[in-house]
Amino acid sequence: MRAWRVTVPGPVGLAPDARAPLTMVTEEVPEPADDELLVRVAACGVCRTDLHVVEGDLPVHHPHVTPGHEVVGEIVASGAGVRGGFSAGDRVGVAWLRHTCGVCRYCRRGAENLCLSSRYTGWDADGGYADYATVPAKYALTLPAGYSDAELAPLLCAGIIGYHALLRAEVPKGGTLGIYGFGGSAHLTAQVAIAQGARVHVMTRGDHARSLARELGAASAQGAAERPPEPLDSAILFAPVGELVLPALEALDAGGTLALAGIHLTDIPPLNYQRHLFRERQIRSVTSNTRAQAQEFLDFAGRHSLSVTSHEYALESADQALRDLAAGRFSGAAVLVP
């Protein structure tokens, strides 16, 4: 099969004659472990977290890993220990969370996303920038009907983590939500928030992204650091830019919450207590998600017709998709289609 591997983490926008961080190889199809499913990849989303893995913003966990954790796949084989629930030919989702211990204090209290022994697809184990991938059966997700493979792929991280960030932001009923950055995750989260009755204001760079935000029902769309037209009850920062924390906090009303949705963020400049935090404004980080939250979001997507803006790339063009993501050349999400 074909697979991309991270050879030496580094910038994806290197000069043509420099050594690229990603290399496509041909190798044997993996054998599923006893508790795993082997899936033929039908589509794999290109997530900003993949970019962080490839460029080295996230430390190497698995040398020469195959990135990709928004995988829509068809089951072709099962490990000897897999019992019930899945059959060859079933379509399943493979997401970021791949393993939790089930016994630590976080797992026991229902917060497996904070598990001390958690492992992740495309970081700790090979992911979906390939023709085939494996997934532990207990972490395979049931997919909603009504979406193409290319539309489903971004739901498996962009959608799931955006949903978790929305929960962390605690938007009051009928409240105002500010969204900073408007890529693959944000354009799905905005639709969920609007469906739940929130007024959404989008702050992002790029005319195309602002236009998409208005098309999807945002009440306003302006520049990344501009002030929204009304105070915000809640905000979510999707752009991995620490400098945007300050204007996002300033835009919050008293008692407002800012959720930081990224796994990586550049340094946050010094905060001024009176301008940014006083009157019980708060900051919350976001770490992965639980399987229950993931399935809850996918079930929501099955009941609501979310508009997924995806840009398809051939598997051979994964490196170009990452370069385009880094340069902000598209709105919505990129998806690799083998």
Side-chain angles (χ1 to χ4, degrees):
M1 71 171 190
R2 300 166 300 167
W4 285 93
R5 294 204 170 270
V6 180
T7 48
V8 179
V12 295
L14 291 170
D17 58 345
R19 186 178 182 185
L22 271 180
T23 302
M24 178 174 262
V25 300
T26 300
E27 58 191 33
E28 294 297 319
V29 174
E31 290 285 338
D34 280 354
D35 64 339
E36 291 182 341
L37 305 170
L38 174 67
V39 302
R40 180 183 294 110
V41 177
C44 182
V46 178
C47 180
R48 188 165 290 277
T49 301
D50 301 336
L51 186 63
H52 294 318
V53 169
V54 171
E55 294 199 317
D57 296 323
L58 296 179
V60 174
H61 278 192
H62 176 51
H64 296 178
V65 72
T66 294
H69 57 275
E70 296 178 327
V71 184
V72 177
E74 177 187 341
I75 298 174
V76 295
S78 300
V82 177
R83 296 287 184 267
F86 298 104
S87 302
D90 287 351
R91 190 171 62 159
V92 295
V94 182
W96 177 239
L97 186 65
R98 186 181 184 90
H99 168 85
T100 54
C101 71
V103 297
C104 71
R105 62 186 183 276
Y106 302 110
C107 287
R108 292 198 307 271
R109 74 186 192 205
E112 68 177 0
N113 58 307
L114 302 178
C115 175
L116 298 170
S117 302
S118 58
R119 295 198 295 271
Y120 303 95
T121 307
W123 192 19
D124 296 289
D126 292 332
Y129 285 27
D131 289 313
Y132 292 86
T134 63
V135 58
K138 291 181 178 180
Y139 292 80
L141 297 171
T142 302
L143 298 171
Y147 297 87
S148 69
D149 294 334
E151 290 172 329
L152 282 169
L155 301 184
L156 291 166
C157 181
I160 289 169
I161 202 66
Y163 182 74
H164 182 43
L166 188 60
L167 296 177
R168 295 283 290 164
E170 292 189 338
V171 187
K173 186 176 181 179
T176 55
L177 171 68
I179 289 180
Y180 290 79
F182 205 70
S185 189
H187 92 286
L188 296 170
T189 307
Q191 295 177 69
V192 175
I194 291 168
Q196 293 176 339
R199 284 190 314 285
V200 173
H201 300 285
V202 171
M203 280 60 69
T204 189
R205 64 179 185 176
D207 293 336
H208 291 301
R210 290 193 289 270
S211 177
L212 177 61
R214 288 187 286 265
E215 289 173 14
L216 294 176
S220 74
Q222 43 270 312
E226 292 183 29
R227 200 173 189 89
E230 61 180 322
L232 304 174
D233 295 308
S234 306
I236 304 174
L237 176 61
F238 288 101
V241 183
E243 291 180 357
L244 292 178
V245 169
L246 276 64
L249 285 171
E250 284 192 74
L252 288 178
D253 204 352
T257 298
L258 169 63
L260 308 179
I263 193 172
H264 172 78
L265 187 68
T266 59
D267 289 345
I268 301 171
L271 302 177
N272 177 279
Y273 180 68
Q274 298 295 330
R275 287 171 54 196
H276 302 121
L277 292 174
F278 189 55
R279 303 196 70 210
E280 300 192 355
R281 287 172 285 188
Q282 61 180 327
I283 304 175
R284 286 180 160 184
S285 65
V286 172
T287 300
S288 188
N289 57 271
T290 66
R291 282 170 285 175
Q293 287 174 339
Q295 199 61 61
E296 186 176 298
F297 166 72
L298 292 172
D299 291 345
F300 180 95
R303 297 191 303 270
H304 297 77
S305 183
L306 300 180
S307 176
V308 183
T309 301
S310 59
H311 305 269
E312 295 187 17
Y313 291 76
L315 177 60
E316 295 89 343
S317 300
D319 52 350
Q320 184 60 54
L322 286 169
R323 285 193 292 269
D324 290 347
L325 173 63
R329 295 191 183 106
F330 54 78
S331 301
V335 178
L336 304 179
V337 181

